[in-house]
Amino acid sequence: MENNLKMVPAKCTQCGGVVEVDEAKKTAECPFCGMTFVIEDAVKDYNVSFNVNDAVKDVLDFAGEQMKENRQRRQEEKKEFESTQKNFFKVFLIIFAISCAFSLIMFVIMQFVPGAGDDTGETTATETADSTIDCYIKDGCLYTEVRGVNLAVWKYQAFDSMGITLQYEENSIDRDSYESCVTAEENVDEGVRYVVTAAYEDDFTTESTDPLYYSVVRVVIENSEIVEASEPAIVNSLSEYDFE
Ligand SMILES: [Zn+2]
């Protein structure tokens, strides 16, 4: 009989201590508190307590897993949101940089490209009665058109950067219309300043031999562009007609 003893775990009904008992017997004595208890009750108590513990453990484990997963998911979502925020900020920075660069380029173009953003460079100098002086650059040529009632005079001067005269021409013509062209390709060089002065005689008393006055304009050309155009000046003699 001793060899066939079947020992099973049980729980003392008095103190709860876990003991091994012989299932074949009716009662046993607890080694912890000395209480004599019914084995059947003690075994049932052990199983119930064991199963409950197991179940609670399972539930707790499951809950723990869920919480862990939730935490991971929340962290991933947070990372994703932060990454989206960073990307949005990057895109914004890039767009802002491109806008700035474009504005700067446009500003530079407006500053340095001849003719951009301002007028065509043409200037109508003066107009009195039937007489006009008209200076403009067209297709690389400077045109000085003087249409005078009587005498028309024009001077063409070129200066280097030190102000030394490189070229000087003076013409006068007595006719209704006069037109001249200074060819930019041939004559306009880097660092050379060209000054064209043109005048017409205003003489409304046709019997008079001496003109009453002259209307004079001056145009300054640098790098094929009109950079300065004077308001028409009235002079009494052509000796006053020197702008330099
Ligand atoms: Zn006990």
Side-chain angles (χ1 to χ4, degrees):
M1 284 297 278
E2 287 291 308
N3 292 338
N4 291 336
L5 275 182
K6 193 186 175 193
M7 302 299 283
V8 294
K11 198 171 177 183
C12 168
T13 54
Q14 173 70 19
C15 73
V18 176
V19 293
E20 289 212 315
V21 293
D22 179 1
E23 208 178 21
K25 289 184 178 173
K26 286 257 182 206
T27 60
E29 193 183 306
C30 175
F32 304 108
C33 65
M35 170 79 178
T36 301
F37 55 85
V38 179
I39 285 175
E40 198 186 347
D41 293 345
V43 170
K44 271 184 196 163
D45 197 17
Y46 176 83
N47 285 337
V48 166
S49 137
F50 180 78
N51 289 339
V52 165
N53 284 345
D54 250 12
V56 168
K57 189 174 178 287
D58 283 347
V59 166
L60 288 176
D61 284 349
F62 178 71
E65 281 296 314
Q66 288 293 303
M67 281 166 74
K68 202 171 154 190
E69 275 174 26
N70 281 342
R71 200 158 50 236
Q72 275 176 351
R73 195 159 57 237
R74 273 202 303 275
Q75 276 173 353
E76 273 164 21
E77 281 170 357
K78 197 181 169 196
K79 269 184 199 163
E80 206 173 314
F81 178 69
E82 280 172 356
S83 154
T84 307
Q85 263 188 330
K86 271 184 198 165
N87 284 339
F88 180 79
F89 189 62
K90 265 187 210 164
V91 169
F92 177 78
L93 267 188
I94 288 167
I95 291 171
F96 183 72
I98 289 171
S99 303
C100 285
F102 183 75
S103 302
L104 187 65
I105 287 166
M106 287 309 289
F107 178 74
V108 169
I109 286 172
M110 296 297 277
Q111 293 298 305
F112 294 107
V113 173
D118 54 42
D119 60 21
T120 58
E122 182 174 340
T123 170
T124 299
T126 184
E127 190 168 348
T128 309
D130 297 325
S131 304
T132 60
I133 299 173
D134 198 8
C135 294
Y136 56 93
I137 286 177
K138 189 179 164 189
D139 301 328
C141 288
L142 172 74
Y143 289 88
T144 309
E145 288 181 24
V146 182
R147 291 190 193 88
V149 176
N150 294 310
L151 184 68
V153 185
W154 67 276
K155 271 195 231 179
Y156 168 72
Q157 290 168 280
F159 303 91
D160 66 11
S161 55
M162 305 297 289
I164 293 166
T165 302
L166 299 174
Q167 204 179 338
Y168 182 88
E169 280 178 52
E170 186 169 342
N171 288 291
S172 66
I173 193 159
D174 187 9
R175 65 184 223 188
D176 286 345
S177 179
Y178 183 78
E179 188 174 314
S180 75
C181 173
V182 178
T183 317
E185 285 86 352
E186 287 175 10
N187 296 322
V188 177
D189 297 318
E190 286 284 323
V192 179
R193 179 181 167 89
Y194 300 88
V195 179
V196 177
T197 44
Y200 63 77
E201 175 195 25
D202 264 327
D203 181 8
F204 300 111
T205 57
T206 47
E207 305 94 56
S208 171
T209 48
D210 294 322
L212 295 178
Y213 58 87
Y214 297 90
S215 286
V216 184
V217 294
R218 184 184 67 155
V219 174
V220 180
I221 300 113
E222 282 170 2
N223 300 324
S224 303
E225 294 292 323
I226 294 174
V227 295
E228 193 187 316
S230 72
E231 289 295 309
I234 304 299
V235 296
N236 292 317
S237 76
L238 284 181
S239 61
E240 293 177 46
Y241 158 42
D242 246 332
F243 279 75
E244 297 311 309

